[in-house]
Amino acid sequence: MTVDRTVHLVAGLVVLLSIALAHFGNNPSWLWLTAFVGANLAQSGVTGFCPLAFMLKKAGVKEGTCCS
């Protein structure tokens, strides 16, 4: 598993989890977590800096090419 694939996996799982918590927990405040993940993905696309990718690289996860 590469850094890019791990970031995509974690982002997707967090979005799905927050939607499930908002739906089944009857608490729409969980959707703020989805908004946070989306905003972080957008800023990462613009700036090239992703906090999760930074931490994964420091942890020794190998880098790879995304979506190839």
Side-chain angles (χ1 to χ4, degrees):
M1 206 61 151
T2 63
V3 170
D4 295 334
R5 292 184 66 191
T6 304
V7 168
H8 288 140
L9 176 64
V10 170
L13 289 175
V14 170
V15 167
L16 292 173
L17 176 66
S18 68
I19 291 171
L21 287 169
H23 178 73
F24 294 113
N26 292 322
N27 187 352
S29 295
W30 281 107
L31 295 176
W32 284 107
L33 183 57
T34 301
F36 173 75
V37 172
N40 192 33
L41 287 170
Q43 78 79 26
S44 173
V46 172
T47 65
F49 175 73
C50 176
L52 179 57
F54 176 77
M55 289 186 276
L56 290 170
K57 288 176 191 174
K58 289 286 187 185
V61 177
K62 67 178 180 173
E63 294 187 52
T65 56
C66 176
C67 306
S68 58

